[in-house]
Amino acid sequence: MPKKSVVPFGPQHPVLPEPIHLDLVLEDEKVLQAIPSIGYIHRGLESLVTKKDFQEMAYVAERICGICSFGHGMGYCMTIEEIMQLEVPRRAEYLRTIWMEMSRLHSHLLWLGLLADGFGFEPLFMHSWRLREQILDMFEESTGGRVIFSVNQIGGVKKDMSKEMLADFQKRFDQIEKEVREMTQVFLEDYTVRTRLEGIGILTEEDAIRRGAAGPMARASGIAVDMRKQGYAAYNDMDFEVITSDKCDSYGRCEVRIGEIFQSFDIIRQCIAKIPDTELNVPVKGNPTKGEAFVRLEQPRGEAFYYSRTNGTKFLDRMRVRTPTFANLPALTQTLQGCQYGDVPLLILTIDPCISCTER
């Protein structure tokens, strides 16, 4: 009879960019069960609402994650704006949308590089990150930051982009898009890459729904759910379709994220063409009234949930964030059941984990 054993995997591993820990129940090289354990980098950011006023918390929220930082700041600001019934100027909504899609671009390019590193294709890893650096350069030019941007504020944004900057960015996006299209053909068509992705980590549509999968993880199983279709920010003015795949495996997750890269280029192009000439923010007077609000955003990794509760003072009673990695951990354990031990790092990467987001 094959012998069963429990092998600890992580939180430190040469392939994994995130400190995730799993206890793997193995039968020879086959994974029978994966039991996640989180809590290694808990920072208590949500409890800072008792020490930082509602304006300062916008900057704390950004620090939930270094990759999704812009979206976290935006999501928090949207909850306070709803409580205070602030109408954000349309230009600010468009700028938020541009920066949000730039975040999606650099996050997905980062993920593609990590995926290439996961199956040992180092030149492809470096090429993906070289293209991502160009997106970060544009972030730095428009916001002043490459990781934390601090341009979101209650009632709008702090910085603008001139017509000249937007025109220059458009030319650079067009060139980057051409290079990304050439590079992603390797992920989609190379035989060696496909053998590491196709048929690995099956997550059926039924299992994705049952396990509460979010973002590209769910859309790669044929579930057409994308929070951008709610029409927040400037997305109600954008023409785009939810990108899905029916392959339900690691290749499908790669396919969806690559499709979203080109979708982001197109949404940014639409924003630049349509952006109105209005104010950047509205004045915020006094403290928020007593109330509560929640919003749902489509972060690069999937749906993120933001909740704020105010009490009439400058400090909040509660802020709560539920991130997509937290939602995708049950789906990850499903994909790991029955896989080979050597595929575990790659399958963890296919959910695009962010443990900093998950534990806060």
Side-chain angles (χ1 to χ4, degrees), residues 25-284:
V25 181
L26 301 179
E27 186 178 84
D28 292 336
E29 291 288 314
K30 184 179 180 181
V31 177
L32 301 180
Q33 186 181 13
I35 305 168
S37 177
I38 59 177
Y40 285 88
I41 53 172
H42 178 64
R43 293 169 289 152
L45 293 182
E46 292 178 358
S47 68
L48 287 176
V49 295
T50 62
K51 299 179 181 179
K52 304 288 185 182
D53 67 45
F54 74 99
Q55 296 275 19
E56 294 174 321
M57 278 304 297
Y59 308 115
V60 174
E62 278 207 16
R63 284 156 175 81
I64 290 173
C65 172
I67 305 300
C68 313
S69 55
F70 181 83
H72 286 311
M74 176 178 166
Y76 167 77
C77 287
M78 287 173 65
T79 62
I80 304 301
E81 288 159 0
E82 184 173 328
I83 292 171
M84 299 185 74
Q85 297 183 341
L86 297 175
E87 186 174 346
V88 177
R90 203 61 185 150
R91 186 175 184 87
E93 299 275 37
Y94 270 75
L95 290 170
R96 283 180 175 181
T97 303
I98 292 172
W99 281 318
M100 190 71 234
E101 292 307 307
M102 287 172 64
S103 296
R104 198 177 318 278
L105 284 172
H106 95 79
S107 178
H108 283 353
L109 287 170
L110 176 143
W111 178 82
L112 283 172
L114 294 174
L115 183 70
D117 180 60
F119 49 68
F121 203 148
E122 294 304 313
L124 193 57
F125 160 68
M126 296 301 293
H127 191 35
S128 299
W129 279 39
R130 181 185 68 81
L131 295 172
R132 172 178 174 261
E133 280 296 308
Q134 297 179 44
I135 304 296
L136 294 181
D137 288 341
M138 286 187 273
F139 258 126
E140 187 173 16
E141 291 173 33
S142 57
T143 70
R146 294 172 71 86
V147 178
I148 302 296
F149 310 114
S150 301
V151 288
N152 276 305
Q153 67 176 33
I154 310 298
V157 296
K158 287 189 171 184
K159 293 190 176 182
D160 197 1
M161 292 193 221
S162 67
K163 291 182 180 179
E164 293 75 20
M165 177 181 284
L166 289 171
D168 177 57
F169 279 14
Q170 184 58 72
K171 292 178 183 177
R172 290 155 72 176
F173 282 129
D174 290 343
Q175 180 58 39
I176 295 170
E177 184 176 4
K178 292 179 183 177
E179 296 187 54
V180 171
R181 200 169 292 279
E182 294 175 2
M183 178 201 60
T184 52
Q185 291 306 305
V186 180
F187 286 97
L188 297 175
E189 297 179 4
D190 184 84
Y191 172 78
T192 305
V193 173
R194 294 185 68 153
T195 57
R196 292 303 309 275
L197 300 176
E198 288 185 323
I200 307 296
I202 298 295
L203 182 70
T204 65
E205 181 177 355
E206 180 184 350
D207 284 336
I209 294 171
R210 186 166 57 91
R211 298 272 180 155
M217 191 75 174
R219 292 192 284 275
S221 296
I223 302 172
V225 176
D226 189 321
M227 290 302 107
R228 292 176 292 177
K229 280 295 185 180
Q230 292 184 123
Y232 62 87
Y235 288 111
N236 56 346
D237 289 345
M238 301 297 114
D239 181 20
F240 67 99
E241 298 298 328
V242 179
I243 293 176
T244 62
S245 172
D246 58 1
K247 294 184 174 62
C248 304
D249 58 6
S250 297
Y251 183 83
R253 286 158 220 147
C254 183
E255 190 177 45
V256 166
R257 288 189 176 97
I258 288 173
E260 289 184 0
I261 288 175
F262 299 115
Q263 184 181 67
S264 291
F265 282 124
D266 184 60
I267 290 174
I268 292 172
R269 192 175 292 115
Q270 292 182 57
C271 285
I272 292 174
K274 297 178 180 179
I275 188 167
D277 188 13
T278 67
E279 298 296 324
L280 294 180
N281 50 65
V282 293
V284 177

Side-chain angles (χ1 to χ4, degrees), residues 321-335:
V321 181
R322 196 206 72 168
T323 60
T325 298
F326 182 81
N328 279 326
L329 285 175
L332 171 65
T333 61
Q334 175 71 38
T335 63

